C-alpha cells in the first residue's frame, strides 16, 4: 500500500501504519467505546485530490474507508468499521476571508478553536460548536449547535457551498444552485453522503468584543427552584439571542464528597450590567459558590470548561452518550434524573466523571430558518440534553453506564408526553430509530434515502448513524 497508494498521492500527503506515532495520533478518539477496529493505515491528505485518490483506491480493492478529523464522533455504529483505511483530514485546515468580507473559504479539517481565533483576529465571528476541540464540519454535517446560534443559526445554516468527495471518488461542488438536493442532505445528514474537503461559509462582524459569564454551584436542594428559574428565563424558546445557559449534574470534590452538585453557567453576549436581570435571580437562590468574569469571545470556552485543554475534551475515556431534545423542563423528571445519577455514581464510583448536561442556547437564529430548507429536523427543540457515562475503559462498567444513560433519557422523555423522541444525530448512541435522528415526516426519510441511492448506492458511507441499514 505504501507503494501503490503512496505513489498516487501528493508530496504533502502522509501514510501512517500501525506502530507509528502518526498512526496513534490519527486513530485516538474522544470516545474509546465502540471505536473503529483494526485500522490498516491512516492517510493524511495534503490536498483535496488526495481524498479523492484514496477513496478510488479503496474502491478498487473493496476496502472500507472512513474520514476522520478530530475523532469526536461517539456513535457505536463506528465499531462496524473494521480493517480499512482512515482518511485523517486534519491537515486540510486552511482558512481565508474572501474579498466580499462576508464569507470565508475554510478547509474541512478546521476545528472550532482555530476558526474562532482566526475570525476574532479579523473582527469577525460566526456559528461554531461550543467545545473548542471539536471539528467544525463534522458537527455541521449533523446540524451544529453553538453559542452564536441565537444570532446566526446552526453551522449547517451558514454553509454557502462545499467541495465534496463522493463515494465513487469524484468531486462535486454543492450549493443552492449546484446539486441542490445533495446540498440539502449535507446540512443535517451529511455523514451519509461524502467527505467535505473545503467550504465557503458566512461570517459576520462580531456583535460585541466581550462576553460576560457567571458559573454557580448549588446543592441539590435547590434543584426545583433552579429549573423553575431556567424555564422562566428561556421562555419556551423565546430567550434573547444574547443569552444562553448550561446546567450540569456533576460531582465536584472540592464542594461536596457526599452528593453531586448542580452547576449553572449563564452566558451573556454583552456586559455584566446588561446580564444582571437574568443573573440576579440565581444569586437570590443562595449558591454555594460562584465565579464570574468578562472575557473576549475566544476565551469563553476555556473559561467555562469546554476548551481544547479541558477534561471535557480529553481522550482516553469511554463516553456513553444518549441525547434528547426538549421543549421545556419537566421539573419532576429532572429531579428523578438527579436522584438516579446520584444513586448510580455512588454505587459505582468509577463513573463519577459522568454527567448530565443541559444545553440552553438561544434558538432565535435556528427557528428563523425554514425547517424544510435543510435536512436538520429538530428546529422545534429548545433544549439539548447530553447524558454522558464517562469512565476509563472497563468492560465490566459498560452495561451499567449504558443502562444509566438510556434510563435517564427515558425519564426525561416521559416528562414530555405527546412529543416524539428527538435525538441530535451528532450525540446519538447509535441504536436509536432513524425517525428520531432524521425526522418523523415521511418525506424527509424518503428524500434522504433517495439521495443515498443516487450518491452512494453501495453504502460506502455507512458507519455514522447511516440512513440505510
Amino acid at each position: 500500500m505504501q507503494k501503490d497508494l503512496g505513489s498516487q498521492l501528493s508530496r504533502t500527503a502522509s501514510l501512517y501504519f500501525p506502530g507509528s506515532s502518526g498512526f496513534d495520533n490519527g486513530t485516538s478518539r474522544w470516545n474509546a467505546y465502540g471505536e473503529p477496529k483494526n485500522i490498516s493505515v491512516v492517510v493524511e491528505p495534503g490536498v483535496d485530490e488526495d481524498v479523492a485518490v484514496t477513496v478510488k483506491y479503496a474502491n478498487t480493492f473493496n476496502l472500507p474507508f472512513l474520514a476522520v478529523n478530530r475523532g469526536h464522533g461517539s456513535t457505536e455504529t463506528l465499531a462496524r468499521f473494521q480493517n480499512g483505511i482512515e482518511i485523517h483530514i486534519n491537515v486540510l485546515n486552511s482558512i481565508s476571508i474572501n474579498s466580499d468580507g462576508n464569507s470565508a473559504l475554510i478547509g474541512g479539517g478546521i476545528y472550532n478553536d482555530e476558526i474562532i481565533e482566526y475570525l476574532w483576529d479579523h473582527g469577525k465571528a460566526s456559528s461554531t460548536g461550543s467545545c473548542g476541540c471539536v471539528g467544525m464540519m463534522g458537527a455541521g454535517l449533523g446540524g451544529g449547535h453553538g453559542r452564536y446560534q441565537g444570532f446566526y443559526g446552526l453551522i449547517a445554516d451558514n454553509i454557502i457551498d462545499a467541495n465534496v468527495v463522493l463515494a465513487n471518488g469524484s468531486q462535486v461542488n454543492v450549493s443552492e444552485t449546484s446539486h441542490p438536493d445533495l446540498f440539502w442532505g449535507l446540512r443535517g445528514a451529511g455523514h451519509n453522503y461524502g467527505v467535505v474537503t473545503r467550504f465557503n461559509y458566512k461570517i459576520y462582524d462580531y456583535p460585541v468584543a466581550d462576553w460576560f459569564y457567571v458559573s454557580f454551584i448549588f446543592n441539590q436542594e435547590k434543584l426545583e427552584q433552579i429549573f423553575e428559574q431556567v424555564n422562566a428565563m428561556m421562555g419556551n424558546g423565546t430567550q434573547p439571542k444574547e443569552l444562553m445557559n448550561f446546567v450540569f449534574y456533576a460531582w465536584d470534590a472540592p464542594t461536596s464528597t457526599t452528593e453531586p452538585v448542580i452547576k449553572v453557567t449563564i452566558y451573556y453576549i454583552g456586559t455584566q450590567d446588561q446580564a444582571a436581570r437574568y443573573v440576579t435571580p440565581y444569586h437570590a437562590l443562595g449558591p454555594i459558590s460562584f465565579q464570574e468574569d468578562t472575557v473576549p469571545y475566544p476565551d469563553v470556552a476555556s473559561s467555562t470548561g469546554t476548551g481544547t485543554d479541558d477534561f471535557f475534551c480529553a481522550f482516553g475515556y469511554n463516553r456513553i452518550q444518549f441525547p434528547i431534545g426538549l421543549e421545556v423542563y419537566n421539573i419532576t423528571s429532572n429531579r428523578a434524573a438527579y436522584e438516579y445519577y446520584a444513586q448510580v455514581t455512588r454505587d459505582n464510583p468509577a463513573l463519577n466523571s459522568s454527567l448530565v448536561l443541559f444545553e440552553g442556547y438561544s434558538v432565535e437564529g435556528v427557528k428563523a430558518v425554514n425547517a424544510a430548507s435543510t435536512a436538520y429536523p429538530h428546529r422545534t427543540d429548545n433544549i439539548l440534553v447530553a447524558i454522558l457515562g464517562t469512565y476509563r475503559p472497563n468492560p465490566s462498567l459498560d452495561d451499567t453506564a449504558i443502562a444509566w444513560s438510556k434510563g435517564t433519557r427515558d425519564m426525561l422523555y416521559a416528562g414530555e408526553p405527546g412529543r416524539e423522541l428527538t435525538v441530535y444525530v451528532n450525540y446519538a448512541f447509535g441504536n436509536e430509530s432513524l425517525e428520531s435522528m432524521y425526522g418523523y415526516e415521511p418525506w424527509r426519510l424518503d428524500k434522504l434515502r433517495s439521495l443515498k441511492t443516487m450518491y452512494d448506492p453501495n453504502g460506502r458511507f455507512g458507519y455514522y448513524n447511516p440512513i440505510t441499514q
Side-chain angles (χ1 to χ4, degrees):
M1 191 178 295
Q2 176 76 57
K3 180 180 179 180
D4 294 343
L5 175 57
S7 64
Q8 301 179 53
L9 299 173
S10 72
R11 295 179 63 183
T12 54
S14 300
L15 274 71
Y16 298 109
F17 292 90
S20 68
S21 60
F23 182 91
D24 293 341
N25 291 336
T27 57
S28 62
R29 300 193 63 85
W30 181 73
N31 176 24
Y33 180 86
E35 63 187 354
K37 305 296 183 185
N38 302 320
I39 293 169
S40 301
V41 63
V42 172
V43 177
E44 190 174 82
V47 295
D48 294 5
E49 181 63 23
D50 291 331
V51 179
V53 166
T54 303
V55 169
K56 290 175 183 177
Y57 178 90
N59 289 338
T60 298
F61 294 98
N62 197 29
L63 295 170
F65 60 86
L66 179 71
V68 173
N69 183 12
R70 300 283 290 179
H72 285 87
S74 62
T75 174
E76 69 167 0
T77 63
L78 287 167
R80 300 174 189 172
F81 180 83
Q82 298 189 31
N83 303 311
I85 300 172
E86 179 187 303
I87 306 171
H88 190 206
I89 67 169
N90 64 308
V91 173
L92 302 180
N93 64 343
S94 62
I95 177 170
S96 60
I97 294 177
N98 295 321
S99 59
D100 62 11
N102 298 316
S103 64
L105 179 61
I106 303 171
I110 204 86
Y111 66 94
N112 291 325
D113 266 354
E114 288 179 315
I115 187 169
I116 289 170
E117 290 279 359
Y118 182 92
L119 293 180
W120 174 263
D121 289 343
H122 292 80
K124 299 291 184 176
S126 195
S127 287
T128 69
S130 289
C131 285
C133 53
V134 174
M136 180 181 172
M137 182 48 69
L141 294 176
H145 290 279
R147 294 185 178 94
Y148 261 129
Q149 70 175 46
F151 280 77
Y152 311 127
L154 304 171
I155 293 174
D157 300 330
N158 290 279
I159 300 170
I160 300 169
D161 62 52
N163 188 74
V164 182
V165 177
L166 299 177
N168 63 4
S170 64
Q171 298 185 66
V172 295
N173 182 265
V174 302
S175 68
E176 294 285 3
T177 57
S178 174
H179 301 278
D181 52 352
L182 181 57
F183 187 55
W184 177 87
L186 197 74
R187 294 170 296 154
H191 307 92
N192 288 279
Y193 302 113
V195 183
V196 176
T197 58
R198 53 188 156 85
F199 57 102
N200 278 296
Y201 196 67
K202 298 175 186 176
I203 61 174
Y204 311 85
D205 295 335
Y206 60 67
V208 297
D210 294 325
W211 287 44
F212 172 77
Y213 76 89
V214 55
S215 295
F216 299 97
I217 298 179
F218 293 93
N219 63 40
Q220 56 85 18
E221 294 173 358
K222 303 296 176 66
L223 183 148
E224 285 74 12
Q225 294 169 279
I226 291 168
F227 282 105
E228 286 172 1
Q229 180 55 41
V230 175
N231 271 341
M233 181 177 70
M234 296 186 70
N236 196 16
T238 63
Q239 73 191 60
K241 60 187 178 182
E242 297 87 357
L243 181 66
M244 67 214 73
N245 68 86
F246 283 1
V247 182
F248 294 83
Y249 299 159
W251 284 92
D252 186 74
T255 305
S256 174
T257 58
T258 59
E259 64 180 16
V261 298
I262 303 172
K263 297 184 176 183
V264 180
T265 299
I266 309 297
Y267 303 89
Y268 191 84
I269 305 174
T271 68
Q272 182 172 358
D273 287 344
Q274 291 170 323
R277 61 180 292 198
Y278 305 107
V279 170
T280 298
Y282 296 93
H283 283 290
L285 295 179
I288 298 170
S289 63
F290 70 92
Q291 174 187 336
E292 63 187 17
D293 201 358
T294 299
V295 297
Y297 178 56
D299 294 343
V300 170
S302 58
S303 297
T304 55
T306 59
T308 298
D309 297 325
D310 291 318
F311 174 75
F312 206 79
C313 284
F315 281 29
Y317 291 84
N318 281 7
R319 299 184 189 267
I320 305 298
Q321 184 164 216
F322 280 77
I324 183 172
L326 304 173
E327 281 188 330
V328 298
Y329 289 119
N330 180 307
I331 296 171
T332 301
S333 296
N334 282 27
R335 166 58 71 180
Y338 172 87
E339 297 297 342
Y340 188 31
Y341 172 72
Q343 171 203 326
V344 170
T345 52
R346 283 194 188 104
D347 291 346
N348 302 273
L351 294 178
N352 68 6
S353 293
S354 304
L355 54 85
V356 183
L357 167 60
F358 304 92
E359 300 179 46
Y361 305 105
S362 169
V363 292
E364 181 176 326
V366 179
K367 292 180 183 291
V369 176
N370 183 343
S373 67
T374 73
Y376 177 76
H378 301 318
R379 294 186 191 269
T380 60
D381 290 350
N382 298 326
I383 301 160
L384 176 60
V385 185
I387 303 134
L388 275 165
T390 306
Y391 54 101
R392 291 291 186 184
N394 181 346
S396 70
L397 291 172
D398 292 347
D399 289 346
T400 300
I402 292 170
W404 165 73
S405 190
K406 183 181 183 302
T408 300
R409 182 170 71 186
D410 291 344
M411 289 177 178
L412 297 175
Y413 180 50
E416 289 208 316
R419 284 199 91 216
E420 301 282 8
L421 174 65
T422 56
V423 171
Y424 182 37
V425 67
N426 289 344
Y427 288 5
F429 179 68
N431 64 355
E432 296 90 346
S433 71
L434 292 176
E435 290 81 1
S436 69
M437 292 187 288
Y438 294 114
Y440 288 90
E441 306 99 318
W443 67 266
R444 282 189 181 274
L445 293 182
D446 288 346
K447 188 171 182 177
L448 291 170
R449 290 182 177 121
S450 294
L451 288 171
K452 191 69 169 174
T453 299
M454 182 181 302
Y455 289 101
D456 185 17
N458 297 315
R460 299 293 276 159
F461 296 104
Y463 303 106
Y464 194 97
N465 299 324
I467 191 65
T468 52
Q469 303 297 329

